[in-house]
Amino acid sequence: MGALARALPSILLALLLTSTPEALGANPGLVARITDKGLEYAAQEGLLALQSELLRITLPDFTGDLRIPHVGRGRYEFHSLNIHSCELLHSALRPVPGQGLSLSISDSSIRVQGRWKVRKSFFKLQGSFDVSVKGISISVNLLLGSESSGRPTVTASSCSSDIADVEVDMSGDLGWLLNLFHNQIESKFQKVLESRICEMIQKSVSSDLQPYLQTLPVTKEIDSFAGIDYSLVEDPRATAQMLEVMFKGEIFHRNHRSPVTLLAPVMSLPEEHNKMVYFAISDYVFNTASLVYHEEGYLNFSITDDMIPPDSNIRLTTKSFRPFVPRLARLYPNMNLELQGSVPSAPLLNFSPGNLSVDLYMEIDAFVLLPSSSKEPVFRLSVATNVSAILTFNTSKITGFLKPGKVKVELKESKVGLFNAELLEALLNYYILNTLYPKFNDKLAEGFPLPLLKCVQLYDLGLQIHKDFLFLGANVQYMRV
């Protein structure tokens, strides 16, 4: 039965995404919801995993006293017990409001083989046995919680088991004699098994499952400098139709983590439970990521002429910029330019019903690349725009469409005299609207494949964009290796 405790978390954790310590009670950045439909599927898959696992375990020995007529009381021992075959027909995994989960297994049977010994002061008997246990029913309630480190906790709050019938066939020294009293042996075997089942489950939860949960990491590396904190911010919530797990969802700098000034918003999730799983991702996740990558300088860029497609009409040369800066080509004839862009503050993503958008503001410094390999600053611009997007999902990929906002260009400084920022702004808007965005949208229309989670495939995906968060629903298929 230790396999029961091990098989259950592996299925649930695969479906629920599982988990720097923080105080519990903050708003979550991520929420994973598994519905009664998802729990039913998890129970089916867990039953298959448990059935395979049971065939690999060895049951503990047990002993007791047995009264044999005309012989007296003897001491029996059943040892070397192995499950030869098992058939687990029905299982159910249901949420228990305010507590956690209820797991039940019914209409199941197990065939066990092993060795037996009977000792009496003046003799010793031994042989092999074959026991068939039918009509096994088990029910256990799991109380789910969390601790201050953000890791989940689990305890078996109640357990009951029942066995409809036990048949024992014994062979060996005088095994025929013991078979005459098989009712007494079977009754003892049944009582022992019924008491041992819950005892083993309670022990497995406390000695195997709970210690395993304490080893779960609450942070995960994303790349060389960023990580994600997915510690629990409160106890998992169970209602009559679903189980929800709330994660912090903060992206942080691995080398020097510091308090985040942003607050995760309150997410009012739709009361949907038609699909197996749902995931809510707030703007807090994306915006804490933006803070980290901005601090690391990932949003800065540098562009030179050799990076521009050969067929482009716009070149990064002093000659090409003559319409905007007439003196530039005269002072620096036939020379290349380099544009260095920086983002003064991290851009923050905004979610509104059906739409996501971001306001972008950057400063661009232009340099002339001199023959001496040095750089001469010539002008500085500020560029501001807004980009919004619509995203859609299907079974295998994500597609989308970008809606451009107007680009606004402002001259901050010029070392080469008059600069026609209005003309550059008009040219940029024309180029972006007619060339750049169509290329992006063609690529987005083709779509990007969704990542395949380990052993799990999502299908029937549906995406909703609400104020402050994305809400993704999906059904799940477990991929057997």
Side-chain angles (χ1 to χ4, degrees):
M1 290 300 161
L4 175 63
R6 289 189 293 272
L8 176 61
S10 65
I11 300 298
L12 286 179
L13 293 177
L15 293 173
L16 285 174
L17 289 180
T18 302
S19 283
T20 325
E22 296 283 347
L24 300 181
N27 292 328
L30 297 169
V31 178
R33 171 188 294 176
I34 181 168
T35 64
D36 49 2
K37 182 179 178 181
L39 291 171
E40 179 182 351
Y41 181 74
Q44 294 172 1
E45 292 296 330
L47 201 66
L48 295 175
L50 176 60
Q51 185 164 295
S52 298
E53 185 73 15
L54 285 174
L55 296 174
R56 294 194 292 267
I57 69 172
T58 300
L59 299 174
D61 303 344
F62 62 90
T63 59
D65 293 327
L66 179 68
R67 180 173 180 79
I68 304 175
H70 311 298
V71 177
R73 302 193 67 83
R75 186 75 174 168
Y76 68 84
E77 176 184 349
F78 292 91
H79 64 96
S80 303
L81 283 72
N82 291 296
I83 297 178
H84 183 262
S85 63
C86 63
E87 188 176 26
L88 308 181
L89 297 181
H90 302 291
S91 67
L93 187 60
R94 300 185 178 90
V96 179
Q99 296 186 45
L101 296 171
S102 172
L103 173 67
S104 61
I105 297 175
S106 60
D107 299 330
S108 300
S109 61
I110 294 178
R111 182 183 173 193
V112 178
Q113 295 178 333
R115 305 288 298 174
W116 62 267
K117 293 180 183 178
V118 174
R119 297 176 184 272
K120 182 66 179 173
S121 56
F122 54 88
F123 69 90
K124 172 184 173 183
L125 303 175
Q126 61 182 356
S128 60
F129 73 89
D130 192 308
V131 58
S132 178
V133 185
K134 300 177 181 178
I136 303 173
S137 297
I138 304 170
S139 178
V140 57
N141 281 358
L142 299 174
L143 182 63
L144 304 180
S146 59
E147 59 176 25
S148 59
S149 70
R151 291 180 173 86
T153 61
V154 60
T155 54
S157 57
S158 64
C159 179
S160 61
S161 63
D162 181 70
I163 296 175
D165 182 53
V166 174
E167 296 180 0
V168 178
D169 180 51
M170 307 181 70
S171 61
D173 299 335
L174 298 182
W176 60 271
L177 177 61
L178 293 179
N179 277 322
L180 295 177
F181 311 105
H182 67 276
N183 287 338
Q184 186 181 165
I185 295 174
E186 289 169 352
S187 176
K188 286 183 175 292
F189 216 117
Q190 181 170 339
K191 289 179 181 179
V192 169
L193 284 177
E194 286 178 337
S195 64
R196 283 290 184 91
I197 287 174
C198 278
E199 178 184 324
M200 293 171 67
I201 289 177
Q202 295 274 6
K203 183 179 179 181
S204 291
V205 171
S206 60
S207 300
D208 296 331
L209 180 54
Q210 177 58 24
Y212 165 74
L213 294 178
Q214 297 310 294
T215 67
L216 292 177
V218 292
T219 62
K220 183 175 178 60
E221 173 186 325
I222 296 176
D223 52 34
S224 60
F225 58 86
I228 182 170
D229 180 337
Y230 50 101
S231 56
L232 302 186
V233 297
E234 60 179 275
D235 294 348
R237 298 177 193 165
T239 67
Q241 294 178 313
M242 67 190 73
L243 176 71
E244 290 185 337
V245 184
M246 284 64 67
F247 305 96
K248 187 171 182 62
E250 178 189 322
I251 309 296
F252 62 91
H253 204 296
R254 294 173 55 207
N255 297 328
H256 49 86
R257 186 172 184 178
S258 56
V260 178
T261 55
L262 300 176
L263 295 177
V266 176
M267 292 188 285
S268 300
L269 304 187
E271 290 295 324
E272 293 190 12
H273 46 82
N274 294 325
K275 299 183 184 295
M276 294 182 184
V277 293
Y278 292 89
F279 305 104
I281 310 170
S282 80
D283 55 15
Y284 177 81
V285 179
F286 298 96
N287 291 334
T288 53
S290 181
L291 292 175
V292 171
Y293 284 91
H294 174 264
E295 179 185 353
E296 194 65 21
Y298 259 61
L299 304 183
N300 299 336
F301 60 90
S302 176
I303 303 177
T304 55
D305 188 67
D306 58 359
M307 299 168 63
I308 297 177
D311 58 349
S312 173
N313 293 324
I314 300 177
R315 311 305 312 177
L316 281 184
T317 63
T318 55
K319 180 180 179 180
S320 181
F321 268 69
R322 181 181 296 169
F324 316 116
V325 198
R327 290 187 62 203
L328 182 62
R330 294 199 299 269
L331 294 173
Y332 306 98
N334 300 317
M335 295 186 188
N336 286 343
L337 295 173
E338 178 180 335
L339 301 182
Q340 294 182 2
S342 62
V343 180
S345 59
L348 300 181
L349 194 62
N350 299 304
F351 292 146
S352 58
N355 183 68
L356 56 88
S357 63
V358 61
D359 292 321
L360 297 175
Y361 177 84
M362 65 187 74
E363 292 183 349
I364 298 178
D365 288 287
F367 298 85
V368 174
L369 302 180
L370 300 175
S372 62
S373 298
S374 61
K375 301 177 183 179
E376 183 70 27
V378 286
F379 59 83
R380 173 178 293 175
L381 305 173
S382 68
V383 179
T385 188
N386 173 275
V387 180
S388 60
I390 297 174
L391 300 179
T392 56
F393 287 82
N394 61 26
T395 303
S396 60
K397 61 184 179 180
I398 176 173
T399 59
F401 180 80
L402 292 180
K403 297 187 294 183
K406 184 179 180 181
V407 175
K408 296 181 179 180
V409 178
E410 181 182 351
L411 177 66
K412 292 296 185 179
E413 181 184 6
S414 174
K415 298 180 181 296
V416 287
L418 180 66
F419 191 106
N420 194 335
E422 292 78 9
L423 180 59
L424 178 61
E425 179 180 292
L427 180 63
L428 284 176
N429 278 293
Y430 178 84
Y431 174 75
I432 290 173
L433 183 63
N434 293 280
T435 304
L436 189 61
Y437 272 93
K439 289 182 179 180
F440 272 111
N441 284 329
D442 287 344
K443 184 64 177 177
L444 287 173
E446 294 175 8
F448 298 91
L450 292 170
L452 179 64
L453 303 177
K454 185 178 181 181
C455 299
V456 174
Q457 182 180 16
L458 303 179
Y459 66 97
D460 290 341
L461 285 90
L463 175 70
Q464 302 172 25
I465 304 178
H466 296 263
K467 178 176 169 49
D468 299 327
F469 68 93
L470 300 176
F471 191 62
L472 174 66
N475 287 322
V476 176
Q477 182 175 1
Y478 184 69
M479 309 296 290
R480 295 182 180 85
V481 180

